[in-house]
Amino acid sequence: MLKLSFAPSGRHFLQIPGPTNVPDRILRAIDNPTIDHRGPEFGELGKKVLAGMKGIFKTKGHVIIYPASGTGAWEAALVNTLSPGDRVLMFETGHFATLWRTMAEKLGLVVDFVAGDWRHGVDPAAVEAKLAADKAHAVKAVMVVHNETSTGCTTRVGEVRAAMDRAKHPALLMVDTISSLGSIDYRHDEWGADVTVAGSQKGLMLPPGLSFNAISAKAIEASKTAKLPRSFWGWEEMIASNATGYFPYTPSTNLLYGLSEALDMMNEEGLGRVFARHDRHAEATRRAARAWGLEILCLEPKEYSSALTALLMPAGHDADKFRKAVLNAFDMSLGAGLSKVAGKIFRIGHLGSFNDLMLMGTLSGVEMGLSLAGVPHRKGGAQAAMDYLAEVAAKPVAAAAQ
Ligand SMILES: *Cc1c(COP(=O)(O)O)cnc(C)c1O
């Protein structure tokens, strides 16, 4: 177990941007006997979660569920649609975009990787310029990360789609929504995404272990001629079995119980309210950051993430020392800076199963931690967040609805 400076009581605050806090309702759902995945009961569960996920992706097309982490679903997106030597266009928005690029190269794709500063989402104008210049249509796919979890910047996927349409380019659009699905509005069909990749352990409030592909008819068409080797990740066998709610190999039965419960919870709250709640917590967090005098890593307000906020440490102060102080004193985990920004930033996750008072506990822990670690800041960040949350709470409920 963790070595804290004291034996913790009460709940650990898991404020990393995934895995997120798993609500008791979901833990209880998972804690049911594992059933025969070829038996009569299973098909109903399979049908329910497959149909339910279509609602979350906002698609009428197929959704594939893998017993794998998000990385597996990244691989599935590539191997089902592309062939060795195919050119793809990707953007260096941060750590996860970089990892997806590395995977694409390992699989034998040729990646045009547009450099970025880790403080912005993908620029739709850059997508348009790149594709307009590709007269021969050599680029087979454009891949973007909707919510770059390493930076707290989002990409405006609908605008990327519009840029591709203006360039009249036939490339597939693939989107990583691993840390945005169920937290930030996403529309697979409306935005013309061909493959959307997601995972269970972030906005969907589940433990790690499930991942998803939402796929368009055009992506299925591409899969018929795609030559990258695939077996475990193949869509065809999945779609055939899924028609009756079953899977070609053993699914993560107990995580599917959890997914069924998560879908009920999101539908009871209403997706519009789920997104409004994430927006509210992100805004409260940014107000706290400004009051502390800490800089928000994301430079473009239109691209601020509602799932997490990444903050820069004042020069000469190590973000990891600060995070360690917070963990030891207050039993709260904050997200680390990854690769290029290691030690320079910390990330506050405010996604998944979360509410105003959990956010206030989180921000209080950050403010106390800043004092404890001797990080220069102004007091009053938690107060600024409280003022904002109280102001929003005083407004009629309808304002926050759908
Ligand atoms: C977490 C995350 C991943 C990696 O997913 P795993 O489940 O760890 O394989 C990829 N992309 C983004 C945007 C993520 O947030």
Side-chain angles (χ1 to χ4, degrees), residues 17-18 68-72 74 96-97 99 145-150 176-180 199-202 208-211:
S69 88
T71 302
W74 264 351
F96 291 102
L99 287 180
V145 176
H146 183 213
N147 183 63
E148 183 44 90
T149 323
S150 61
D176 169 345
T177 64
I178 295 176
S179 63
S180 54
S200 55
Q201 75 274 26
K202 300 182 186 182
L210 291 180
S211 57

